[in-house]
Amino acid sequence: MVPSLSTSSRRTAMEKQKTKFGHISRFGKASIVICVFIVASILLPDSPDLVIIPDGDGGVDIVSGTGRFLTEKNEGVTTVDESVNVESDAETNADPDAVVSEAKSEATNEVESKHSTTASDDNNDESDDNTNEPDVELMEICGRKTAASIPNPKQCDSSIGKRVLLVEKWDKYGRTGNNLREFFHLFQYAKDEKFDTIAIVKEGWMTDAIMKFWYAIEESYEDWQKKFEEAFCVKIISDKKELKGRDIHKITGRDLFYFKSPEDKKTKIDNQKDLIKTLFQSYNEGNGVDALNRTVNDMCSAIDASLGEEKSTAVYSVIHSRKLEGQGHKLLEKTSEVTGCDPVAALNMDPDYVKSILEPIGMLDHPILLISDGENPDVFKRLHKDPDIGPQIREVPKESSWLGGDMTLAIMSNAFIGNPASSLSAFIAQSRVAFGLNNTYLFRSRDGGGEWKDVCDENCIFGPRLAL
């Protein structure tokens, strides 16, 4: 069966108070305890699970609808979704105006007053738990520690159930970014629709998208198949004949891309964080091949080349510069309308903007690494000329720079400055939340006094994304 994905536990911040009872009788003691409990329950009600992010300067949070897919007449509209969205930034034909309109109309139905609990609180709680319990083993990526514990193994049913959700070989929608989004949506769809089994064709588009970065075949195919199936509770098949006699529902990449779950946002975020951690439990290190027998790249290449032998302790920042195939201004303007972030700052990455982030947290005295799509070399030139940033700014060596390596370098940095219109920045930020890493900056704007400030908290990282 498809299991319910794990959710992060919540911790209560209340401290127990010690009370002297003296010579009060047992009955008197019990009465006092009951009274204290009643008063505490009135004064300290439970915090709500969901965060409502208002529109404008505070961003928006979208209420999940009941629809499953867009109809053919709506093909030009990208559904606003809170899900992980890692895209190549030019992969769909979505209309950003329609996305903003939908985001704002749905946001008006939210109750803006209940926002005491945040994803970052969950994240910090998890980090605190890890540091207070020395027996908890923390995840390590490319020689650098995260603040997240290793996920518990999933309890999977190895048999193939009656109702099967099938991902076929050729029903791909978009490039790598879209495919990763569809991978995350697959598990949510199977859970919502109560399928018994998820079946994925071995040499199909979905295994291709995942195995570029994670879960390479290093030994035998049989060993890899067992490892992958147990990690995600899926069945890898070579032929649909293996599903004979089952009730099969075929799902396309397009259907998964536009899928919108009605489940509450907190649960979806927890599910996505769990999947991200499961992926990074087996990141590729240049050994092995993918499902099509192609040699895989090393996810640690940029970290190794940029940090060398000091990689485990090095303190550094990463700036992600994207021009977004000429669509950057349009996308960032629309993102600004939804979240309240500055409509150009994250594209230009001017020195003043970068220093407004790094100087207060003491990071101007440490290496600053720039990763980019190579479309706007002026960003590096401007930063290199700045007297404060120039001595520390550097680029990843070209021979070690590739999508997976740059992504991992940014995820494991001590501070990350990204572009909120870029789905790669979004995935980096989401991964940092999953691993309990702080100092992630995407949504910034000037206040009335001209000072830069954050305008949207970590929940916006899992909020609506604009994608072309």
Side-chain angles (χ1 to χ4, degrees):
M1 292 183 64
V2 177
S4 295
L5 299 176
S6 65
T7 60
S8 62
S9 61
R10 304 198 54 79
R11 294 191 308 140
T12 305
M14 294 177 58
E15 294 183 357
K16 296 180 180 179
Q17 294 184 337
K18 296 181 179 178
T19 305
K20 265 192 170 182
F21 289 100
H23 298 290
I24 300 176
S25 66
R26 269 190 226 169
F27 178 81
K29 293 179 183 179
S31 300
I32 292 173
V33 170
I34 292 171
C35 290
V36 170
F37 176 80
I38 293 172
V39 172
S41 66
I42 295 172
L43 297 179
L44 297 171
D46 291 338
S47 298
D49 286 336
L50 296 179
V51 176
I52 307 304
I53 304 173
D55 193 12
D57 288 344
V60 296
D61 187 8
I62 307 305
V63 178
S64 297
T66 57
R68 297 303 180 204
F69 306 125
L70 294 181
T71 60
E72 289 301 311
K73 64 181 180 181
N74 292 327
E75 287 181 5
V77 181
T78 296
T79 302
V80 176
D81 198 306
E82 306 84 17
S83 303
V84 172
N85 180 11
V86 191
E87 303 177 33
S88 298
D89 303 306
E91 298 178 4
T92 72
N93 296 319
D95 179 359
D97 293 312
V99 176
V100 174
S101 175
E102 181 180 350
K104 289 190 172 183
S105 64
E106 292 189 15
T108 58
N109 297 322
E110 291 286 12
V111 181
E112 298 179 357
S113 60
K114 298 181 180 180
H115 61 278
S116 62
T117 303
T118 67
S120 79
D121 290 333
D122 291 344
N123 205 36
N124 292 334
D125 286 348
E126 182 178 343
S127 301
D128 291 342
D129 286 342
N130 290 333
T131 55
N132 291 333
E133 300 179 17
D135 57 328
V136 173
E137 186 178 0
L138 300 181
M139 289 188 67
E140 186 173 305
I141 298 172
C142 300
R144 293 178 65 84
K145 287 284 189 181
T146 72
S149 58
I150 296 175
N152 293 323
K154 295 180 177 60
Q155 301 300 314
C156 306
D157 186 349
S158 59
S159 64
I160 299 178
K162 179 65 177 176
R163 296 188 70 236
V164 177
L165 181 62
L166 174 64
V167 181
E168 295 197 281
K169 186 173 183 178
W170 302 114
D171 292 326
K172 179 179 178 179
Y173 185 63
R175 300 196 296 267
T176 299
N178 282 15
N179 302 156
L180 291 174
R181 172 189 172 105
E182 292 146 18
F183 177 75
F184 287 108
H185 284 191
L186 172 66
F187 296 93
Q188 190 66 52
Y189 181 85
K191 180 185 178 185
D192 290 354
E193 299 300 323
K194 296 179 172 56
F195 281 94
D196 300 317
T197 302
I198 296 173
I200 302 174
V201 175
K202 172 194 169 187
E203 297 178 351
W205 62 268
M206 185 163 282
T207 53
D208 180 49
I210 298 304
M211 295 176 72
K212 291 176 183 176
F213 312 109
W214 307 279
Y215 288 87
I217 301 173
E218 296 184 2
E219 297 179 1
S220 68
Y221 168 74
E222 290 73 21
D223 289 339
W224 168 83
Q225 181 179 11
K226 183 175 184 293
K227 180 179 180 180
F228 194 93
E229 289 180 347
E230 291 179 351
F232 297 103
C233 291
V234 300
K235 296 298 291 184
I236 300 295
I237 64 171
S238 299
D239 194 310
K240 286 189 290 184
K241 293 179 181 178
E242 299 175 41
L243 305 178
K244 185 177 180 181
R246 270 75 175 187
D247 178 13
I248 301 172
H249 177 87
K250 299 176 183 178
I251 191 85
T252 68
R254 180 182 180 82
D255 288 341
L256 289 171
F257 182 85
Y258 287 113
F259 170 64
K260 185 176 182 181
S261 172
E263 188 158 49
D264 68 272
K265 182 175 180 179
K266 181 185 181 302
T267 301
K268 287 189 286 188
I269 289 177
D270 288 341
N271 292 345
Q272 292 160 10
K273 287 161 64 175
D274 180 76
L275 284 169
I276 289 171
K277 289 190 283 188
T278 301
L279 285 172
F280 275 95
Q281 278 189 284
S282 184
Y283 56 87
N284 295 344
E285 297 183 80
N287 303 315
V289 297
D290 63 14
L292 298 177
N293 206 38
R294 298 171 298 196
T295 302
V296 297
N297 289 323
D298 184 2
M299 292 283 280
C300 301
S301 61
I303 286 181
D304 291 342
S306 303
L307 308 179
E309 295 181 358
E310 298 179 353
K311 65 180 182 180
S312 62
T313 58
V315 177
Y316 69 98
S317 304
V318 167
I319 298 171
H320 182 213
S321 171
R322 294 299 306 273
K323 198 172 181 180
L324 306 174
E325 291 88 9
Q327 298 291 326
H329 285 286
K330 184 177 182 179
L331 282 170
L332 194 51
E333 284 175 3
K334 298 303 179 182
T335 303
S336 175
E337 291 178 26
V338 175
T339 67
C341 69
D342 189 274
V344 297
L347 276 176
N348 296 336
M349 290 293 179
D350 288 326
D352 287 346
Y353 177 73
V354 172
K355 285 191 285 189
S356 74
I357 295 170
L358 298 184
E359 187 172 15
I361 60 175
M363 292 299 291
L364 284 179
D365 295 327
H366 300 281
I368 304 169
L369 290 149
L370 180 74
I371 60 174
S372 73
D373 54 11
E375 295 182 6
N376 193 0
D378 289 340
V379 169
F380 182 81
K381 292 177 182 178
R382 284 195 299 269
L383 294 175
H384 192 263
K385 289 179 180 178
D386 184 82
D388 299 314
I389 298 175
Q392 299 294 348
I393 191 73
R394 63 193 69 173
E395 293 179 298
V396 178
K398 289 184 179 180
E399 64 274 10
S400 303
S401 177
W402 69 288
L403 180 59
D406 291 354
M407 178 172 66
T408 310
L409 176 74
I411 290 171
M412 297 308 298
S413 64
N414 299 88
F416 172 67
I417 305 173
N419 184 335
S422 165
S423 52
L424 178 57
S425 278
F427 179 70
I428 291 168
Q430 290 156 355
S431 298
R432 290 174 61 82
V433 172
F435 296 134
L437 304 176
N438 299 318
N439 297 325
T440 300
Y441 303 91
L442 266 69
F443 307 96
R444 304 270 290 175
S445 183
R446 291 187 187 274
D447 60 20
E451 298 294 324
W452 288 103
K453 65 175 184 177
D454 293 321
V455 294
C456 209
D457 66 21
E458 287 180 339
N459 282 271
C460 281
I461 293 170
F462 290 90
R465 289 277 166 257
L466 301 178
L468 289 180

